[in-house]
Amino acid sequence: MNDYLIGKLEDLSSYKWFGKVTRVVGLTIEAKGPKASVGELCYILVGKGNQKIKAEVVGFRDEFVLLMPLNGISQIAPGSLVEATGKSLQVKVGYSLIGKVVDGCGELLSGDALPKGLTPFPTEQPPPNPITRPRIEEMLSLGVRAIDSFLTVGKGQRVGIFAGSGVGKSTLMAMIAKNSAADINVIALIGERGREVKDFIERDLGEEGLKNTIMVVATSDQPALMRIKGAMTATAIAEYFRNQGLNVNLMMDSVTRFAMAQREIGLAIGEPPTTKGYTPSVFAALPKLLERSGTNHSGSITAFYTVLVDGDDMNEPIADAVRGILDGHFVLERQLANKGHYPAINILKSISRVMDDIVSTKHNQTAKNVRNLLSTYLEAEDLIQIGAYKKGSSTEIDQAITAHPQIIDFLKQETDDVLDAEKSIEQLISQFG
């Protein structure tokens, strides 16, 4: 028997650790025992057939273990046995999962058995070592002209999509999933309304988009821990394929609901509320999640995280924290959406922090010139609209007025209009260079 197997056998415990439920308060289950650590997966045995409810250790109070369920808690009773597993949650991942829709624990949402030949993979992983993480040097074509031309994204970049409700986040995500040059898409719908899941799969993504996609869904009715695990599971699946040497697109809608779920857990176990009721653990959990994407020695995860901005306030706590962690942000603006301008990206308020490193000098200069023309027009827009501006008063404003309709036409794009980055950049330089 080789040393590896001997080591594995020595690690096995000859004991099973059990505890008993003493009380349930809101979201939290208190148990006397078992011997377990924070983050460990436990089973609560309920009913006549000892059905197993998955729960995770989230803290301790005196000699009691605090757990939160990944399923419902309706059958849990005083004295229900709690069984420690000695490990954290793992999901099964592999190529046969492509085209499937799974829940926050990695099980098929349809209720069917998982395909065979999948590999167990932990949902909790450390981010790549910053010293060994390769720099972002290669552009990724997303097939969205406004982004490829003015907010060019690199392989392994992490971007926030900031928007209020109903301004086209889901549509933009579906366009990226269908048109992107990435090898595979992992899409996480966290805290989404149940009705919108099928709408997104069938209307926005479509059969063609799903062929190259794994979807992770944790709807708003599920426990807070399940919504957090949905985000972790999607990231773990993306990490597995990155380790296989692929360029992965990870899209998560939304980080705000992940933060809200973390706040629910924090408040339930007694953390003090701070900014707008968010607990300190929220601001510790965000970088742990967001830093896991990016490049490593094998492949890359290019990540897009949507952020819901309450009342279109870009400075609310979660938006502010996420913007500071990521490598760029796209701002979707309600004013543009109301005018029928889709995708409703305000390129003046958006930024890609790696664009300067991955595009040609000509492309970069042309994009800056167009931004300048658009900015000049918007500064003088009120005067232009009321007819107070006289032609010839400013050469810059005259140029901006002339170019404005052409710029707006360039930025608009229908959802079924597919353009790779090369064509978009050629159009940009030929029209405005």
Side-chain angles (χ1 to χ4, degrees), residues 47 376 427:
T376 302
Q427 282 187 15

Side-chain angles (χ1 to χ4, degrees), residues 7-45:
K8 282 287 181 187
L9 286 170
E10 286 175 350
D11 289 343
L12 291 174
S13 173
S14 55
Y15 295 97
K16 267 196 174 183
W17 298 97
F18 288 92
K20 281 191 175 181
V21 172
T22 54
R23 67 173 182 164
V24 176
V25 182
L27 302 170
T28 315
I29 301 160
E30 280 191 13
K32 184 85 170 175
K35 183 183 176 183
S37 56
V38 172
E40 188 171 322
L41 182 69
C42 293
Y43 293 119
I44 301 171
L45 309 179

Side-chain angles (χ1 to χ4, degrees), residues 73 143 266 302 319 332 423:
I73 59 172
T302 308
L332 304 190
K423 287 181 184 173

Side-chain angles (χ1 to χ4, degrees), residues 17 37 40 82 116 137 152 177 179 210 218 263 315 369 429 433:
W17 298 97
S37 56
E40 188 171 322
V82 181
K116 291 181 179 178
E137 295 175 332
T152 312
N179 302 342
L210 190 60
R263 176 174 64 182
N315 295 314
N369 290 343
I429 293 170

Side-chain angles (χ1 to χ4, degrees), residues 207-225:
E207 194 178 327
E208 198 61 37
L210 190 60
K211 273 183 189 175
N212 199 36
T213 299
I214 298 170
M215 282 193 64
V216 180
V217 175
T219 48
S220 57
D221 59 295
Q222 293 182 321
L225 191 60

Side-chain angles (χ1 to χ4, degrees), residues 299-318:
S300 69
I301 299 173
T302 308
F304 301 89
Y305 300 99
T306 70
V307 182
L308 291 164
V309 285
D310 292 334
D312 296 333
D313 175 17
M314 285 292 294
N315 295 314
E316 62 94 29
I318 299 305

